[in-house]
Amino acid sequence: MVGVVGSLDRAVSRDEHAGAIVPPADGAAAGGEGGAPAPGSWFGRVDWSKAGLVVGLMLFVVASLVLYDMLEDLTWAEVSDALSRIAWHQVILAFGATALSYTALIGYDLLALRHVGARQVPLAAVAFTSFVSQAFTFTLGFGVLTGGAVRWRIYQGYGLKPGQILGVGALTTLTFWLGIASVAAACLLFQPSALAPIDDLPPSLNLLVGIAVLAGVAAWMVIAAIRPRVATFGDWTMPLPGPQATLGAILVGLLDTCAAAAALWLILPAGPDAGFLSFLIVFAVATVLGVISHVPGGVGIFEATLLLAQPQIPRADMVGSLLLFRLVYYAVPFAIACLMLGLYEARQRRQAVGRAAQAVQSIARPLAPRVAGIAVFIGGVILLISGATPAEQYRLVILHRLVPLPFVETSHFAASVTGFVLLIVAYGLIRRMANAWRMAVLLLTAAAVFSLLKGLDFEEAIVCSVVAAFLVFYKDEFYRQADLFSVRPSFEWVVACIVAVGASIWLGFFVSRNIEYQNMLWWDFAYREDVPRFMRATLGIVVAAVGIAAYIMMNRSRVAFDPATPEEMQALIPLIESSTRSDAHLALLGDKRFLLSAGGKGFTMYAVQGRSWVAMGDPVAPEEEIDGLVWRFKELVDRHGGTAVFYQVTTGHLPTYLDAGFSLAKLGEEAWVDLAKFTLEGSEGRRLRQAKAKAERSGATFDIVPAAGVPAILGELEAVSDAWLNEKGKKEKGFSLGFWSPDYVRRYDQAVIRQNGHIVAFANIWRGSDKKEYTVDLMRYLPDGPAGMMDLLFIGLLAQAKSEGYRWFNLGMAPLSGLPHHRLASMWSRIGAFVYRRGDRFYNFEGLRAYKDKFKPEWRPKYLAFPGGLALPQILMDVTGLIASSPRRALSEENS
């Protein structure tokens, strides 16, 4: 927060002069240079929101190693034999138990809908939504993106508000955990020894764990019965489950878990069995570990847990039953859910469009990028798995007669590497990148050819061809012009790629576990040498991964990061000089890029940090072109897959930002002095006259140096600037305020304070073209200058602006001032108001406003226009980083 609020003031450098009057607390500096953990520290760099995924990845790795060790001697023939011994009536009963489990899951949605006050949804719609969302979540994982999207799509048709839908998703997750944890804990009371093969703990400790979990649930029920609890996230509040909802969740969890466990238990082979209760405990724990892992379907973790906890069941029998369970409980319901959702969408859209073909198109086009990304990712996984497993021998016999060995070897290697690259390209497709589309079509076409040449794998070739055809059909949906490998993929996507590659490598080593490793294997080339081909392909994948990661880390897109050229800035000077806004001169700092209006009479200045494309203030343009520039900027950012932000916008154009889909967060208030009322005469000017006289008695004098005379005093000005930076222990900031640059400083008239003929303070002057606005930007002073020199500087500037006929003098912003601290205000407002009142150890918020108040200004609010939702913290971090780094970017460009 300190780093954010310290960067809010467009004229932080000039406002910090108030420190001569009301100094900030020791050890704190504007811009976040004190207080909270430094951004460069290891603690500040850790993104703790990803801890769950990291733990899940570690669980997946551990489970993979355990499975590999446990199944090392197992052959597919043994598993196939175990599957053949499972009777059809067992499979039918398992399907019945699966149906009962999914039916029980409806209870979670019913509880959540009732809790958020959405009773208008019919039971049939609840059942449909619950089944489809749960099937998607169980199979694909990432419930917020899969099951949550399904709930959002369907429930909004029944009049639920966004907050209610979010509440339903959160409550179903919360009640699921309450239910399954309570079931597992209750079972431990009766069979505390059931988990001994997993946790290796004595039954007494497992019994205590069960008692502790149930006691925690009971305590929550008592607390919630005494006083209902509410969770608050920004402007969104969600009532937490009370005793009735908690009890209902436990009952639903009991029925759901028992039915799901029965679906697997019923297809286990006859033999030694510890009983259904013991199996139920293990099943519940395996399910919890699978959900924690974030791996779709808990693959690997679920199986490893059951194999460890049921050592009395032959491994071949357990593996066969687990494979069949995956089909019965996951694959079949997922296929049915896909069909049901497709029919639902077709019916919904057919009524709106009128014809079936148009309905399909209207349904598919918005979903095309995401569907294409998932399909390409799956295609990459298929290629990786194919490269790790042996080819069909009868196909190799045919291939031997048709294709020379070098083509087979090369195609196998290329197909595996192509599969890995497709995993990365899929991320770009979801973000609608045009170059990702081109690369995907090329790679899929090549992969189809490689699949045929490496082993006559017609199935893979067909999959690749169909996905490529789908991409070609929806070419227009991929329009964003951004470099795929200059955009860092999300952490979740990186984890998914690691899991996919890790699983394929594990599978390759597993199927070749009976072959002893030898160095000569790397150099064996033959039609039936599958293991050497797998080893070489794995090395190629690792090299490709390292190369792509290095490129992503080092490469930068010029359009996104580099500031405009001096020639581009020079072309804007007529627009800046004709602008009524004084802050239009920020365009000449050299740290921004520009987007011209359609009529060429105005522009938006912006820079990029991370995924945030930050426009500085309102567009600099005539009134009739501002709306168009806001939309043009948003379209530009959308083409590059970024997040559009307008920083420090005024109240004059708030409807424009709201119409463009932005949310608003107040940043603070700006002080404007009415020069018609400003005077040093009479009682109103008494304090200012005293401050002016005090400074003049110490030998200080005020003067204006025209821009033509600035080169002659540039050395003195630089010495003052360097002394100010050294004394404050600060680094230059930019973007929303000026920084020292000789080219920038010599452009403007300079207000200076002299003592004994030497400059001790200065400020460069900005003027609006219509005589309405007068202000200063870069302001520096000597730490040992005369007392009251900053008061003299401001008084002289105000008098000068008034004498030149200007209407207003802009004193700059007081960060976080004027934010409401009412309990019903937004979270951002309440946090900002708290920091404003209690954050003096970090930044002199109240003192800064008090200093400006003595000039009796009119306070005008300024806002941040951003996309809304949970993006605000990351955007504020990006803005802070941009303000801190833009001088370095601009000066390096200038020096080059």
Side-chain angles (χ1 to χ4, degrees), residues 669-674 677 807-809 849 853 855-861:
E669 293 183 326
E670 200 169 47
W672 289 73
V673 178
D674 186 348
K677 299 178 181 179
R807 178 72 175 83
W808 295 94
F809 189 97
R849 174 154 182 146
D853 259 335
F855 295 98
K856 297 180 174 55
E858 173 185 307
W859 291 97
R860 302 178 186 178

Side-chain angles (χ1 to χ4, degrees), residues 394-440:
Y394 76 93
R395 295 186 182 183
L396 286 177
V397 172
I398 300 173
L399 199 67
H400 191 182
R401 303 171 184 172
L402 301 176
V403 182
L405 180 60
F407 286 92
V408 176
E409 296 285 357
T410 303
S411 297
H412 184 280
F413 181 87
S416 296
V417 175
T418 298
F420 169 73
V421 178
L422 285 174
L423 303 182
I424 309 299
V425 172
Y427 180 75
L429 292 174
I430 289 180
R431 299 190 64 189
R432 300 175 181 264
M433 294 183 180
N435 59 356
W437 176 88
R438 289 189 290 268
M439 191 175 295

